[in-house]
Amino acid sequence: MATITIYVPDHEPVAYDLDGYEQLTVGRSEDADIILDHDSLSGSHAVLQNNDGSLSVSDLGSTNGTYVNGEQITEAVAIGEGSQITFGNVESVISGGEAGVDESAGGSDFAASAGGSGYGAHAAELSDVSNQPDGFSNLSPIEKVEKKDTLATIAVLLGVVAILAAIAVAGIATTMSAG
């Protein structure tokens, strides 16, 4: 049984059973089969196809791209056990339903098991912690943006202005006392 486990940044992973589905779309749109509300995904980001047990993934012209094992794809690429797929900044891994995968999060009724809207859509429930498997590396070509401390930046700027003001006052005082 093929399963895709999706790791939305800063949320619990969610596993979906891929058996019994010919095609599943992934994206932010309500029209997607697997809806992932993440800014790095396009409305219709990618499509997973299951042709008699042979899995493939295709990018649907997404803005941030789809990657299989670190390589950006544009056309259908075969995937299998252990394939790492990155949709924008959202990572996932394909498994054969072996130990360690939470099969209860997936199932034949995606909408019911994943908290979907009941309109045939599949939505991943999100939580606060990510439990990536050992050896799972970030394959995204998009660099992680580190937030800067605004107060520290303001304090440094005020310090620079104060030093420049002190130098200016000292220069003026020297000029006035010399003249």
Side-chain angles (χ1 to χ4, degrees), residues 142-162:
I142 300 170
E143 294 182 30
K144 186 173 184 178
V145 177
E146 297 292 329
K147 293 184 181 180
K148 297 184 179 183
D149 186 2
T150 307
L151 291 177
T153 303
I154 291 171
V156 168
L157 289 175
L158 288 175
V160 169
V161 168

Side-chain angles (χ1 to χ4, degrees), residues 26-144:
V26 177
R28 286 189 318 186
S29 168
E30 297 217 7
D31 296 333
D33 296 311
I34 299 176
I35 300 171
L36 299 172
D37 188 20
H38 192 269
D39 292 340
S40 68
L41 270 75
S42 296
S44 294
H45 195 95
V47 63
L48 297 163
Q49 293 181 319
N50 187 352
N51 299 320
D52 299 323
S54 173
L55 296 172
S56 65
V57 62
S58 306
D59 186 76
L60 296 174
S62 66
T63 302
N64 293 318
T66 300
Y67 297 80
V68 175
N69 298 325
E71 299 291 323
Q72 186 169 13
I73 64 163
T74 54
E75 299 177 3
V77 173
I79 54 175
E81 176 81 28
S83 292
Q84 295 178 355
I85 305 168
T86 306
F87 307 104
N89 284 341
V90 177
E91 299 170 349
S92 64
V93 66
I94 301 294
S95 64
E98 295 179 9
V101 175
D102 181 9
E103 306 261 344
S104 65
S108 61
D109 184 357
F110 280 52
S113 65
S117 63
Y119 296 105
H122 313 304
E125 289 184 29
L126 305 177
S127 75
D128 297 328
V129 180
S130 176
N131 296 321
Q132 296 177 346
D134 292 336
F136 193 91
S137 61
N138 183 0
L139 300 175
S140 176
I142 300 170
E143 294 182 30
K144 186 173 184 178

